[in-house]
Each structure stands twice: as structure tokens, then as C-alpha cells.
Amino acid sequence: MQCYTELTPPTAVSHSLSLPFLSASANNLVVAKTSLLQVFSLKSVLTDYNATFETSTELRRASVTHPGPSATLTSTFPRGERAPTTKLVLIAQYELSGIVTSLARVKILKSKSGGEALLISLRNAKASLIEWDPERYSISTISIHLYEREDVQGSPWEPEADDSTSYLSVDPRSRCAALKFSSRQLAILPFYQQSDDLVMDDYDPDSDGERRERRESHSKSMEGDNPEDKTPYGASFVVSMLALDPTLLHPVHLAFLHQYREPTFGVLSSQVASSISLLRERRDTLTYTVITLDLEQRASTALLSVNNLPYDMFRVMPLRLPIGGALLIGCNQLIHVDQAGKTNGAAVNEFAKTSTSFPLADQSDLCFRLEGCLIEQLGHESSELLLILGTGELAIVGFKVDGRSISGLAVRRVPEQNGSSLLLAAPSSASLVGRGRMFVGSEEADSVILGWSRRLDKLKRQRSSIDVGADAEVDMSDMEEAIDDDDDLYSSAKVEDKTQELVTSSETPDESDDYRFRIHDRLENFGPIRSVALGKPLQTSMEDRRGDQDVGLELLTTSGRGRAGGLTAFHRQLDPRILESHLLPNVTRFWTVSVKRASEDFSSVCPTEDVHDYVITSTQSDEVLQSAAYSLTSSGLEEIKDTDFDPEAGISVDVGTLSNGSRIIQVLPSELRTFDAGFGLAQIFPISEEGTETDPKIISASFAESSILLVLDNGKIMVLRADESGDLDEVEQGDSLRTKGIKSGSLYEDSNDVFRLESDEEIEEVWGNILMFLLTMEGGLLLRSASNDVIIYQPYQSYASGSPDATLHFLKHSNPYFTKTSISSDYDSESNEREHMLGITDLSGYSTVFIPGQTPAFIIKSASSPPQLISMREKSIRSMTRLRRWTLELGFAYIDQKGSIKFAQLPADCQYHTGWVTRKIPLGEDVHALDYHKPTATYVVGVSHKVEFKLPEDETHPEWAVEATTFLPQVEQGTVKVLDYETWSTIDEYSLTTAEVVMCIKTMDLEVSEISHGRRPLVVVGTAIIRGEDLPAQGRIYVFDVISVVPEPDRPETGHKLKLIAKEEIKGAVTALSDIGTQGFVLAAQGQKCMVRGLKEDGTLLPVAFMDMQCYTSVVKELKGTGLCLMGDAIKGVWLAGYYEDPYQLRLFGKSPSHMEVLAADFLPNGKQLYLVIADADSNIHILQFDPER
């Protein structure tokens, strides 16, 4: 039973995969964010870019309807050029019941969509095969496989299956998949393939019929019938890796290889356990073994073995042609092994010389640390690899060729000016999504689509028919397509010649001719979250500073690591950026229009002075209904007089523009009036109906291109269309529309053919692709229900099996937002009608729908996220309109409850795809802990950065004076910083010693005097001094006060400083803090003890009570006013204790019934019942109850 709701969905990308999923020709990207699975399509648009970090307006506007916020484009291209930019468009997302450990693509014989299937592995040896179902527009599960059995457990001292990592590897030709689980267990899942054609390239199925029959009989032998009529997979089996080869005692990693007739994988393993402390005795302990599988006989054969590999190798990366073989990745070196077992390697730092005797090319001057790195080929036919280090730095791995074999490999850095520092943290996955495009996922920073290009004048290839200059840039997709076109001219050439030509072209180029990278799009990541604090939100409007509105609270969290480290502010309500404000009393509705003369081409970009910006209002005062027109100028609003606009004509129902923006249409209850750019009256179109005594009234209108839809109060509609001169004419209706009672209607321009089921060229030539949606009295498509709830539907088309005709369907989206007011509160008490929702297709790069009323809200949609409903902090907004003003193209305007018209924009530095208004504050360092200091409205954060560790001066070790290496290890050095909540700038900081890191920060009301017993809010910081695994950890407790000082000139926010009150040396790391009792004491988890301390006037912290703990105390909490203390251990579970003040003591009340790895815990009181809520390392939430009477 799920009894909780996630405040935000997961944002950190753990796995990614590119495959044709929605159809055989589709290009999709599947992303796993721990337990969230997202399916994307990719769309290419032309954008402007330059050599700096800029925002592209074209990039914001392209999507299925709209791709959402722009990605930051970083490149070294000349300003003003245009290039194709790849955008991610979300198709669907699904919450999974488990944490994803691997993604793999499988080509099955027959799928519902015609595309490939997706194989997902989860924790605890589980796997699921899914496909896309076009009829349901959703994923469909083909099979679920569980291998969690007790009989696979090995020796008693081996780790349990739950503690071992499960991961997948699939044969490149989809003949089988291998799931590695437990210590050395392998589950093999065979897949049926057409004829199982796994032979050489010159195999001809027409001439080798006997081989085909043998393969078909092999498939049938596993199932017994035609595999196409049954499951796409055969019976799986589990085998111990020791049964495959007795030397695979300690497997490290395995992966299936390319260019083999039978399913073949390479595995890194060792016969003895590797240990850094035994390097002098065991240096090169690993072995690389290539093993081929016989699925029919369930047997295996070892093809080759490479012994005496460095102990720190951790991954096998299979390589496609033209390279082939496998690349073995270690912490200090890269080693290539070809199909014959020939090896070539390169050492990328000095430690490789001392840690291995394996022959390696010396490239130690690179000083690379390969821990956490990721390598991917730069294209399916590329001979070079992209190396992404754990710091995000980019490098290129190239190969040297000698005839038909690889004779060496070389690694080179990507120059800084070519984009080597675009990525800010370690990658978690990489997937090619197109030629010259790669998706790079990360759990520590934003995930991005990385693109690259290269100059053509240095490439040793004949120029294609593409017309480029000598120094022109070309996209990699164009370059590779040109290569393919040239190869087609010489189709009789041997494959080996093509391979050799591609490999030899990878010579080390000049920096100006090397790969140049830029970011196309990004997925925002707000993790990993280590600490959370509640504080005062950033105030952006003058109303906030005057205290006219309740600004609420702000949720501040840590996010990112390394250079991507920083803070993220979450706020529940949207506070727009106010640009202008004009007081217009008695205004009930208003519209803004931008219009220009009919003789000009409105579709082209024009100077601002050629456009007239107007505001038309409807006012209601003393039962007098009027309309007014204002000119919007730089000085404000000026009422328009001496024109054909008649304020006494009545209240306006709607206002819009037609004829490419050259005509203003004023919709009145009984007629329509057409004006030119100077408000000269051009036409009056009355609304009448034959055979009735009273003429109908217009209740709503909808505009699209040159058409208007009018909904009348008698339940009928009227459609008008403007001709070339701008005059309105009525469009004839069918009998079906005359008889139905219409409640609401809207015109929609289907620019992406989402609703098009069939094409009629004659109709489209006249009307374009405009659709009309009508809501009848009986019901229909709803977006706002009678209970004032918002319901969101997504349209899609599907083809029924055996039918060539498409069918339109609607898919309901989940919306966790609940309305806070009844439907009656959103009605106008006098007119008894409710304001309609307003769609704005481009609002700061988002597609939005505004919902007016007492609790106004926005439905905000970006290309890479589902629609989210976010309420506004402004209350009671009766009317909103697009801001068509050319100088503020992406803004909006609304009327607040005081009658002021406000021109506003969405904050440019905020995101909305999580359902919260989020803002990232980059710090460029790891943030470990934070808390809010309420008296000064500042945040205190603990950060750290890497510094080189040097041996200290020691008389007993004179050899330490001279370092034996220049490639020094790195340790963390912490800093305590004070941040201003408005500017997010650093006000003051306190530097800690080397290897000292902040573990926890807590603002407490501590007693500062033993005589007067006075209290003051102070900041308590717990640290750990980590000097290596051979020395015990030490710690310190710091007590700071944030005092007021004279600010620096022109920096009023610097009026606060940190003042050190106390500093206490601790035997053991200080891992958690909490206030306790009624006397202003602090409870600190230090080492294997929890101790209560009191602050003395001499600056010391006097211990008064303690309790022995077990291993590592991860959390301590006190239930205010009770003395009950909760203590969570990272291994042993939760303890509940009581604190007594007379005498001082901590007494144990109870423990959790089972061991659990506690990451977070808190009290959950409910009346007279006391519950504890615990989150463990397996992503489980536990609810425990303390009941001493049971």
C-alpha cells in the first residue's frame, strides 16, 4: 500500500539507451531515473548560436507543440550562424516497482510497434521485457523473469544476492541476454531470431538452405512450435560462472562482443582477490577471457585468455568495426584486446608504472584519473572514442593501425576552447542518439545532449557534393552522410579497405581542427540531495517587501557534486516577475493586441515603432457596461480618443486580430466590429437569427488564423472567416451543428497533425489545418470539471490491427493537484459566469494554460516533461491575456484583486517541470550540509573542494620531505559559508583544515550563560577529519554566531559575519546534531557515542550525558518537549532513548526489531500514538510504533 506522495519525481539519470522503440524507423531515447522510466523522441530544429553561453529563442519554441525551455548552447562557432539542434520531446513516463540497474535493446521477431523491445533489469535479480503498444499508446510487458532463489547462494562468507549488483548484457545480434547477479551467477535468456543468421558476411540464405533449416530446428527445439506464434524468447537457464570456466572465481565485469558467429562475451576476473595493500605480492591479478556460448547444448567454450592484467581494471567495453575487439578500462590505464588476443595499452598517469608490470605506452603526462569515467564511440562507424572523465572533462581515444591490426592507442585532451569543460560532473550513461549526437546522463549534474563537429579541410576524405568553404564548419551528420554516399559509389571495394581507411584517418590533429563540442539540450537534475532546510523565499516584487502578501516558506536543498555542486530552491507557488503596473478601477476583463498596417507583411520581423500596442478593457460600474481602448507606450497607458472606437457600445466579450495582425476584431454581445491599425471602423457584423423575436447573444469567441468561432447563448455556434480584404463573412454549417446545444467551443491550429486522421487537399487549401472543438450540454472533452478539478488529456492516433484507418484516442494524465476553492467562488456574482481558461503557446519557452479564479494557476508544459499544474501566489485573478507587445513577446498581463493591470514574465532563472517552482544556485563545490539562520535571514552551508595532499614535515620520516611523484592524491577541504537569501552571494566564510569536511549543520537556541541562563540562536557545525583508512577519524564541533557588522560599500548584503564562539576537539567524526531538553543543550553523535553537551562561558562544550552506540550514527532527532530521542545507525537500525535532566542521563527504551541501513528517520506522532518513520538504503520506508504497554 502506498501511503505517501513524492514531492518531486526523480531527476538524476542513472541509465539511458537509444533504440527504435515506437516504430521500426523511430529514433527514441529511453532514460531511467532510478525507478522512473521515460521515453523520448528527438526533434531537430535550426537555431542561432554564438561563442558564449546564450539562450536560443528558436530552441525554446520547437517541440511537438513546444519543446519548453531553451538549452544553454555553448560553442565556438561564429555568431549569427545557424545549425541543426537536437531537442528531447517526452513521449511517456512510467513509475516502476523497483530500481533499474540496466537497460538493453532486443530485436524480437514480432513486436506490436514494429520496433525493438526493451529489456530492463532491476535489483534482486529481476528482469522485464517490454515493448511499445501503439493502440494503447503505452508500454506493454512481454515477460517478467525472476532469478531470486536460495539454491544459488555460494559459500557462507560470500555476500548475499541482495548485496550484489545485477546488470545486463545483450548479444549485439539479439540472440540472447545475460543477467549477472549474486557473486558469480549468470542467467541466460535466449531469443528467437529469423533463421538465427549468425554466420559470416558472405553467407547467402538462398545457397545455404541447409544451415537455415538447422537454425530453425534449433529454435523449435526450445519451444516445440513456431516461435512467431508464441513468446519471442526461449526457456532461460541459470549457470554458475565457475561452470563456464573454473578461473572465473572473482568476476569483475562482462559484456557481449561484436563480430562473432555465436554469442560470445568477454569477462574480466581473477582467481585471487585483489587488494591494494598486497600490491607487492599481487600486482597483475586479473585475466580477460573470451567465452562463446552454445545455446542449444547449453555449453560454453573459452576462445582466448589474456593473463596478468592490472588489478584495477573494472570494465569491458565491446567495440564495433572498424576497431573491433574490446577496450578494457582501468583506473590508471586503457588496454585494447583484439579478436586474436593481441593487446595494446596506454598509461594515463604515473601510478600505472608502480601498480602494474603490463607493457603500456607512456602517456602519464595526461594525469587522468579514470575512476568513474565513461567511454563511447563517436559514431557507429567511427574509429575514435569519446572519453568522459569523472570530473566531466573530455578526451579523445584514437587507434594506430599497422596493416589490418591495431598497433597502439593514443589519448589526447580536448582543448578548452573546443568545449572540454562543458560537462560539470561524472557521467552515469552515454547513448548515441544520431550522427554527431550523444546523450550523456549524469546523477551528479544535468544530463545533456552533446553534439560535435569537425573541420573538413584536414580530413583525408574526398569532398562530397556539399558546398562548404575552406574554413567552414559542418555537422557530423552531414559529414558521415557524405562518407556513406562516397562509399556507395565504390560498393565493390573490400570491407577491409574501408576499415583501414577510416582508422588511419584518426591522426592527431591540430587543436583548431579537432572535435568541437556544444550542448544541444539538457534534462535538469536537482540531485543528489544530501541536506534540506526550510527558509524564507526570495522576494521579487515590491508587494513582498511591503508585507502585503504572505510569501510562505522556501525549501532549500543541496544538489550536484564537484563543479556542478550548488543549491536548489523549491517553492510551491509561482511569483511572476512584474515589469509594469497600471491602476485601472472597475476593470473586469482586458486584452492586449499588437497590430500593424495592412500593407505591411506582418509575418516578417519589423521594427518596434511600426507596431501599435493596445489594451482594450471591459469595465462595470453602477450597472454601466463599457469598453475602453488604451495605447501602450513607454510612458504608460494613454486612453485612445477621437477614433471610431465607441466605449458606449457595451462590454467586450473578446478581442483579437485577423488578417496577419492588420485588423482588430472587437466581439460585443450582439455584434462584431472590425478596426484597422488606427482604430478606424472597417466593418460591423451584427448577430441575428431569423424566425426569433430576440437576437442571440455571444457568450464566448475563439480565434485561429483568419477564422472566428462564436458560441451563442441559445446553444448554437457561428463561424466567421475574413477574406483577403479583412471583411468577415459567415461560413455555412452542417445540419448536425445546428441541432446540438453547444456549451463551449475552441478553434485549434493543428500544426503537428496530431488530430489529422485523413487529408483533404481542397479543404486544407481554404481552411488550413484548423480544427474546432465543441463541448455539448451532454458532456465531452473536459479540462475543468464541475467540481473545479483540472483533468488533462493527451490525444494520439492508433491503427487497429488489420485496419488501414487511424483512430483518434485520448490518454488521461495524472494530476496530483487538488482545488482549494469550490466552483461557486470562481463565478462572478453579478454576471453569473466564470472566466475561461487561456492557452498561451509560447510563454518564456513553455506551453501554458492559465486557469483564473480565486486560486489562479498555470498548467505548464515543456518538451522534456509532463504537464504540471502550479498555482500562483497572487490571489483572485479574474482575467489574463497574452502580452503581444513586441518588446515583451514572451510575457503576459493580468488584473489583480485591486484592479491593477500588471505586465509580467515568468522568472527566467526558474524551472517548472517538477511541479515546483525551482531555481538552481550554482556554487561550484560539493555542498554537504545547510541550515537557515532565521534572525539574520541567511543560510549557513558547509562546502568542500579538492586539494592536493602533501606529506607533512616529520622528523621521524625525513624521506617525506621529497615527494616521489608529481601526480599527488587529492583530499577534501571544507568551508563554512554564509549566503544571503536575496542575492545568493557569499557574505562570509570560515575555512577548515585540510581533510576536514562538514558533516552536519544545525541552528539551535543554546544557553550562552550559566549565570543568567540567557539563550541565543547559534549555528552548530559538526566535522570529520578523514586522513585515510589506516588512521582513526577525528572530528570537531564548532559553535558560530552570525553577527551584524558594517556592510561593504555597494554591497548591503554583507552586513553579517561569522563569529566563532566555541571549538571542541572530538575523538571520532561528528555525524549528526540535534538540540535536546529544556536547558539549551546539544546532542551530538560523535564516533560510537551519542553525547549531550552544554556550552560554557569559556567557550568549551561540557559533556553531561552519553550513550554507547554501535557503528555509525547517521541521524539523531528529539521530539520537542518530551526528551524522547531517536538515533539511527547506518547498519544496526534505530534506537529510541529518553533524556533525563535530573540527573543527566540517556536511557535506552527500545530498538528496531531488525537490522536496517538507516539513511533518514524522524518522529511521526499521531494523537497519543508515537510512530517512527525510517528510510533505509534499499529505498524502503518503514513505519515503526513505540508502545511500551504491549
Side-chain angles (χ1 to χ4, degrees):
M1 175 181 177
Q2 181 172 331
C3 56
Y4 67 94
T5 299
E6 289 183 338
L7 293 181
T8 63
T11 58
V13 174
S14 56
H15 301 85
S16 65
L17 181 67
S18 176
L19 77 164
F21 192 54
L22 269 63
S23 65
S25 59
N27 183 18
N28 300 116
L29 176 71
V30 177
V31 168
K33 299 178 178 179
T34 58
S35 61
L36 183 68
L37 190 72
Q38 293 182 320
V39 181
F40 294 91
S41 65
L42 294 104
K43 183 173 184 178
S44 181
V45 295
L46 287 176
T47 59
D48 291 329
Y49 49 80
N50 52 34
T52 60
F53 291 90
E54 287 194 356
T55 299
S56 169
T57 303
E58 291 87 349
L59 189 59
R60 291 190 222 168
R61 296 181 178 177
S63 94
V64 174
T65 55
H66 202 294
S70 157
T72 300
L73 300 181
T74 308
S75 68
T76 53
F77 296 94
R79 179 181 295 272
E81 289 192 19
R82 296 177 67 84
T85 300
T86 302
K87 294 288 293 180
L88 290 173
V89 180
L90 180 66
I91 301 299
Q93 67 177 28
Y94 307 94
E95 295 182 1
L96 305 180
S97 299
I99 297 178
V100 177
T101 59
S102 293
L103 296 176
R105 54 189 292 183
V106 178
K107 186 175 182 180
I108 59 179
L109 285 178
K110 186 178 181 181
S111 65
K112 296 180 180 180
S113 65
E116 296 185 5
L118 177 65
L119 188 61
I120 306 173
S121 68
L122 307 174
R123 281 186 180 178
N124 303 326
K126 300 177 182 178
S128 178
L129 183 66
I130 65 174
E131 64 178 341
W132 182 258
D133 187 352
E135 294 187 12
R136 296 175 51 245
Y137 204 74
S138 177
I139 58 174
S140 177
T141 302
I142 300 175
S143 62
I144 298 177
H145 307 270
L146 304 178
Y147 301 100
E148 192 176 14
R149 302 183 306 181
E150 295 181 359
D151 57 345
V152 300
Q153 184 67 33
S155 303
W157 54 83
E158 290 185 357
E160 297 181 357
D162 294 345
D163 298 328
S164 302
T165 303
S166 301
Y167 61 89
L168 278 170
S169 184
V170 176
D171 175 65
R173 299 187 183 181
S174 299
R175 292 167 290 192
C176 69
L179 175 65
K180 161 54 173 71
F181 66 99
S182 189
S183 297
R184 55 183 69 89
Q185 299 298 322
L186 206 61
I188 306 298
L189 179 61
F191 294 102
Y192 298 118
Q193 295 300 326
Q194 188 66 39
S195 304
D196 285 342
D197 185 8
L198 310 180
V199 294
M200 298 176 62
D201 294 336
D202 58 351
Y203 171 70
D204 187 356
D206 296 332
S207 60
D208 294 339
E210 182 179 355
R211 176 182 294 272
R212 178 171 183 174
E213 291 296 329
R214 186 180 68 86
R215 294 295 178 179
E216 290 178 348
S217 62
H218 155 63
S219 299
K220 292 180 181 180
S221 65
M222 291 189 296
E223 190 65 32
D225 294 315
N226 186 2
E228 294 189 12
D229 298 334
K230 292 189 176 283
T231 60
Y233 56 88
S236 63
F237 57 94
V238 177
V239 60
S240 173
M241 298 186 70
L242 293 177
L244 300 179
D245 193 319
T247 63
L248 305 181
L249 187 61
H250 298 281
V252 177
H253 188 257
L254 65 87
F256 279 94
L257 305 178
H258 297 269
Q259 292 87 46
Y260 281 91
R261 300 183 182 181
E262 301 289 344
T264 304
F265 63 86
V267 56
L268 273 173
S269 64
S270 65
Q271 289 184 287
V272 294
S274 301
S275 175
I276 299 177
S277 59
L278 298 176
L279 280 183
R280 295 185 179 181
E281 303 294 332
R282 307 174 184 172
R283 300 188 66 181
D284 301 324
T285 58
L286 293 184
T287 300
Y288 173 69
T289 308
V290 177
I291 299 175
T292 183
L293 298 177
D294 188 338
L295 300 179
E296 184 176 357
Q297 301 296 330
R298 295 188 177 183
S300 63
T301 303
L303 299 182
L304 62 89
S305 180
V306 180
N307 301 318
N308 301 325
L309 292 172
Y311 79 99
D312 58 357
M313 312 298 291
F314 59 87
R315 186 186 173 195
V316 178
M317 179 187 173
L319 300 177
R320 294 178 291 268
L321 288 177
I323 305 171
L327 183 68
L328 309 183
I329 306 172
C331 297
N332 307 309
Q333 63 280 321
L334 298 174
I335 298 176
H336 176 261
V337 182
D338 63 11
Q339 290 185 338
K342 180 182 177 182
T343 60
N344 294 279
V348 296
N349 59 49
E350 295 181 7
F351 288 137
K353 300 178 182 178
T354 59
S355 63
T356 180
S357 301
F358 195 85
L360 299 170
D362 186 11
Q363 286 194 267
S364 57
D365 56 325
L366 293 172
C367 296
F368 282 169
R369 291 177 171 88
L370 298 184
E371 295 90 343
C373 75
L374 204 63
I375 299 179
E376 185 64 44
Q377 281 188 252
L378 286 167
H380 295 293
E381 298 180 357
S382 175
S383 61
E384 293 183 314
L385 313 178
L386 176 64
L387 168 62
I388 308 174
L389 298 177
T391 59
E393 186 180 356
L394 303 181
I396 303 297
V397 180
F399 294 87
K400 301 177 182 178
V401 65
D402 184 10
R404 297 184 179 181
S405 62
I406 303 297
S407 61
L409 59 89
V411 184
R412 65 180 186 273
R413 293 178 181 270
V414 173
E416 179 69 25
Q417 63 271 20
N418 288 7
S420 64
S421 60
L422 289 179
L423 306 181
L424 302 179
S428 60
S429 63
S431 303
L432 286 172
V433 295
R435 300 194 176 189
R437 308 287 188 270
M438 181 185 298
F439 176 81
V440 181
S442 177
E443 296 181 292
E444 302 176 358
D446 293 344
S447 301
V448 303
I449 290 185
L450 190 67
W452 59 89
S453 61
R454 200 173 188 181
R455 294 183 184 271
L456 287 181
D457 56 330
K458 295 293 184 180
L459 293 178
K460 297 181 179 180
R461 298 286 300 179
Q462 183 179 358
R463 290 187 178 273
S464 67
S465 58
I466 303 176
D467 185 12
V468 293
D471 296 328
E473 298 282 351
V474 67
D475 192 77
M476 287 299 294
S477 60
D478 297 333
M479 184 185 72
E480 295 190 18
E481 288 174 1
I483 293 176
D484 291 343
D485 294 340
D486 292 342
D487 292 337
D488 291 341
L489 298 177
Y490 307 98
S491 58
S492 61
K494 295 183 179 180
V495 177
E496 292 82 358
D497 296 338
K498 175 182 175 181
T499 301
Q500 181 177 353
E501 183 179 8
L502 285 172
V503 175
T504 55
S505 65
S506 60
E507 298 177 357
T508 303
D510 297 333
E511 290 185 359
S512 59
D513 303 321
D514 205 353
Y515 292 97
R516 313 178 80 178
F517 295 88
R518 69 183 181 103
I519 292 177
H520 289 242
D521 198 5
R522 66 177 67 241
L523 296 178
E524 295 285 344
N525 176 23
F526 303 118
I529 297 176
R530 301 181 182 179
S531 182
V532 178
L534 288 173
K536 190 176 181 180
L538 180 66
Q539 297 175 347
T540 58
S541 60
M542 294 302 296
E543 288 81 356
D544 294 342
R545 303 180 189 278
R546 293 195 302 266
D548 294 342
Q549 295 187 5
D550 180 19
V551 297
L553 292 176
E554 185 174 59
L555 186 67
L556 193 69
T557 68
T558 63
S559 62
R561 286 191 179 131
R563 292 186 297 137
L567 305 172
T568 302
F570 292 84
H571 200 274
R572 267 301 188 190
Q573 295 178 320
L574 173 62
D575 189 14
R577 176 170 171 256
I578 306 300
L579 305 174
E580 301 177 23
S581 181
H582 306 279
L583 181 60
L584 295 177
N586 303 323
V587 174
T588 58
R589 293 189 65 185
F590 78 110
W591 301 264
T592 60
V593 293
S594 295
V595 64
K596 60 185 300 184
R597 295 184 180 88
S599 58
E600 299 178 359
D601 183 12
F602 191 78
S603 61
S604 61
V605 179
C606 61
T608 305
E609 56 269 15
D610 292 340
V611 179
H612 302 275
D613 299 317
Y614 298 110
V615 175
I616 294 91
T617 65
S618 292
T619 60
Q620 183 175 356
S621 177
D622 298 331
E623 298 183 357
V624 177
L625 304 178
Q626 290 183 337
S627 297
Y630 299 87
S631 177
L632 184 58
T633 63
S634 58
S635 59
L637 293 178
E638 298 179 1
E639 187 173 0
I640 297 176
K641 299 180 180 180
D642 301 329
T643 64
D644 293 337
F645 184 84
D646 185 10
E648 306 295 334
I651 193 171
S652 299
V653 177
D654 205 342
V655 177
T657 60
L658 294 179
S659 300
N660 290 330
S662 61
R663 291 294 179 93
I664 302 174
I665 309 300
Q666 181 190 16
V667 182
L668 299 170
S670 58
E671 63 185 19
L672 279 74
R673 297 193 175 192
T674 305
F675 301 93
D676 58 18
F679 270 101
L681 184 61
Q683 183 188 9
I684 297 179
F685 191 97
I687 303 299
S688 61
E689 185 177 4
E690 298 180 359
T692 58
E693 296 181 359
T694 59
D695 293 332
K697 301 296 184 181
I698 302 174
I699 61 175
S700 66
S702 178
F703 295 81
E705 287 191 352
S706 297
S707 303
I708 307 175
L709 170 64
L710 304 176
V711 180
L712 308 180
D713 59 357
N714 59 3
K716 296 184 179 181
I717 64 170
M718 181 179 293
V719 180
L720 307 180
R721 182 172 177 81
D723 56 19
E724 295 181 357
S725 62
D727 294 334
L728 297 176
D729 295 319
E730 184 178 359
V731 178
E732 294 184 2
Q733 303 179 26
D735 295 336
S736 59
L737 296 179
R738 297 180 185 274
T739 57
K740 293 183 178 180
I742 305 301
K743 187 176 182 179
S744 178
S746 175
L747 294 180
Y748 173 72
E749 183 181 358
D750 188 17
S751 58
N752 295 283
D753 298 333
V754 177
F755 297 95
R756 178 187 294 188
L757 300 180
E758 58 184 11
S759 178
D760 192 326
E761 297 181 357
E762 295 182 359
I763 295 178
E764 292 183 6
E765 186 177 352
V766 178
W767 290 95
N769 200 8
I770 299 177
L771 302 177
M772 179 169 61
F773 291 86
L774 300 176
L775 175 63
T776 64
M777 298 297 182
E778 292 80 11
L781 177 63
L782 293 177
L783 280 180
R784 198 175 189 183
S785 67
S787 60
N788 210 23
D789 291 328
V790 177
I791 307 172
I792 304 173
Y793 292 92
Q794 177 186 354
Y796 70 93
Q797 296 181 16
S798 67
Y799 292 84
S801 58
S803 175
D805 299 328
T807 307
L808 183 62
H809 300 272
F810 289 92
L811 184 67
K812 184 178 179 180
H813 277 266
S814 61
N815 178 28
Y817 178 85
F818 292 96
T819 181
K820 298 179 177 61
T821 59
S822 62
I823 189 171
S824 59
S825 62
D826 286 343
Y827 275 89
D828 191 321
S829 58
E830 298 184 13
S831 61
N832 194 34
E833 64 179 45
R834 184 175 55 181
E835 183 70 24
H836 295 280
M837 293 183 291
L838 174 67
I840 304 178
T841 56
D842 186 6
L843 186 59
S844 298
Y846 293 88
S847 291
T848 61
V849 174
F850 174 70
I851 305 174
Q854 295 295 324
T855 56
F858 274 102
I859 300 175
I860 300 180
K861 173 73 173 69
S862 69
S864 58
S865 67
Q868 301 288 349
L869 196 149
I870 302 177
S871 61
M872 291 186 64
R873 186 165 58 85
E874 189 88 49
K875 301 303 180 184
S876 185
I877 296 178
R878 289 289 299 139
S879 181
M880 176 177 286
T881 183
R882 304 174 183 86
L883 195 58
R884 296 184 175 90
R885 189 175 177 183
W886 282 85
T887 56
L888 302 172
E889 184 181 1
L890 302 179
F892 60 95
Y894 64 92
I895 303 176
D896 64 7
Q897 57 186 351
K898 298 180 180 179
S900 297
I901 295 181
K902 295 183 178 180
F903 298 93
Q905 285 181 326
L906 294 179
D909 53 355
C910 294
Q911 297 83 33
Y912 312 94
H913 60 267
T914 62
W916 293 66
V917 180
T918 56
R919 182 189 181 194
K920 299 185 74 171
I921 302 100
L923 298 179
E925 297 178 292
D926 281 353
V927 184
H928 299 274
L930 64 95
D931 204 3
Y932 180 69
H933 191 258
K934 185 176 180 179
T936 58
T938 57
Y939 286 99
V940 182
V941 300
V943 302
S944 69
H945 60 278
K946 296 286 188 179
V947 296
E948 291 185 344
F949 175 78
K950 296 182 179 180
L951 295 173
E953 296 182 0
D954 194 332
E955 296 180 356
T956 60
H957 296 278
E959 68 276 8
W960 288 3
V962 180
E963 293 280 2
T965 178
T966 58
F967 187 59
L968 298 176
Q970 293 182 335
V971 295
E972 290 183 296
Q973 181 175 2
T975 306
V976 180
K977 293 186 176 182
V978 180
L979 302 181
D980 177 64
Y981 79 101
E982 289 193 53
T983 62
W984 298 111
S985 60
T986 301
I987 302 175
D988 191 22
E989 62 181 45
Y990 182 89
S991 297
L992 306 178
T993 60
T994 303
E996 185 176 10
V997 182
V998 175
M999 301 295 291
C1000 49
I1001 297 178
K1002 184 74 174 179
T1003 301
M1004 307 180 191
D1005 195 22
L1006 299 184
E1007 183 181 279
V1008 295
S1009 175
E1010 299 175 84
I1011 301 175
S1012 63
H1013 301 288
R1015 296 192 182 188
R1016 193 160 67 244
L1018 300 177
V1019 179
V1020 184
V1021 180
T1023 67
I1025 304 174
I1026 307 171
R1027 297 172 295 177
E1029 59 184 13
D1030 55 340
L1031 295 176
Q1034 302 294 320
R1036 295 189 180 103
I1037 298 179
Y1038 296 86
V1039 180
F1040 294 98
D1041 190 9
V1042 183
I1043 62 175
S1044 298
V1045 296
V1046 178
E1048 300 177 5
D1050 301 327
R1051 291 193 65 192
E1053 71 274 7
T1054 59
H1056 303 287
K1057 295 288 184 182
L1058 282 173
K1059 179 182 178 181
L1060 182 62
I1061 302 297
K1063 176 182 177 182
E1064 190 78 14
E1065 301 285 342
I1066 304 296
K1067 293 182 178 180
V1070 181
T1071 57
L1073 295 168
S1074 175
D1075 46 1
I1076 189 171
T1078 61
Q1079 299 177 343
F1081 289 174
V1082 57
L1083 174 63
Q1086 50 185 74
Q1088 293 179 313
K1089 284 183 172 58
C1090 279
M1091 191 169 292
V1092 179
R1093 294 175 177 268
L1095 179 62
K1096 299 182 64 177
E1097 294 184 352
D1098 59 356
T1100 60
L1101 291 169
L1102 179 66
V1104 297
F1106 75 94
M1107 176 179 287
D1108 289 324
M1109 301 300 293
Q1110 291 280 323
C1111 299
Y1112 179 92
T1113 305
S1114 57
V1115 58
V1116 292
K1117 292 286 180 67
E1118 188 219 13
L1119 186 61
K1120 293 289 185 181
T1122 64
L1124 292 174
C1125 301
L1126 183 153
M1127 305 169 185
D1129 193 281
I1131 297 177
K1132 296 296 184 180
V1134 174
W1135 293 15
L1136 183 65
Y1139 170 65
Y1140 296 87
E1141 295 180 342
D1142 190 15
Y1144 295 118
Q1145 63 175 320
L1146 283 170
R1147 183 179 299 175
L1148 181 64
F1149 287 165
K1151 297 181 180 180
S1152 57
S1154 60
H1155 292 176
M1156 60 182 71
E1157 301 178 39
V1158 179
L1159 298 183
D1162 209 336
F1163 289 97
L1164 192 64
N1166 182 21
K1168 296 183 179 181
Q1169 303 294 324
L1170 180 60
Y1171 300 91
L1172 308 178
V1173 55
I1174 300 103
D1176 65 9
D1178 293 328
S1179 304
N1180 298 319
I1181 294 179
H1182 304 265
I1183 305 295
L1184 306 181
Q1185 182 182 9
F1186 174 66
D1187 189 355
E1189 297 181 357
R1190 296 180 61 181

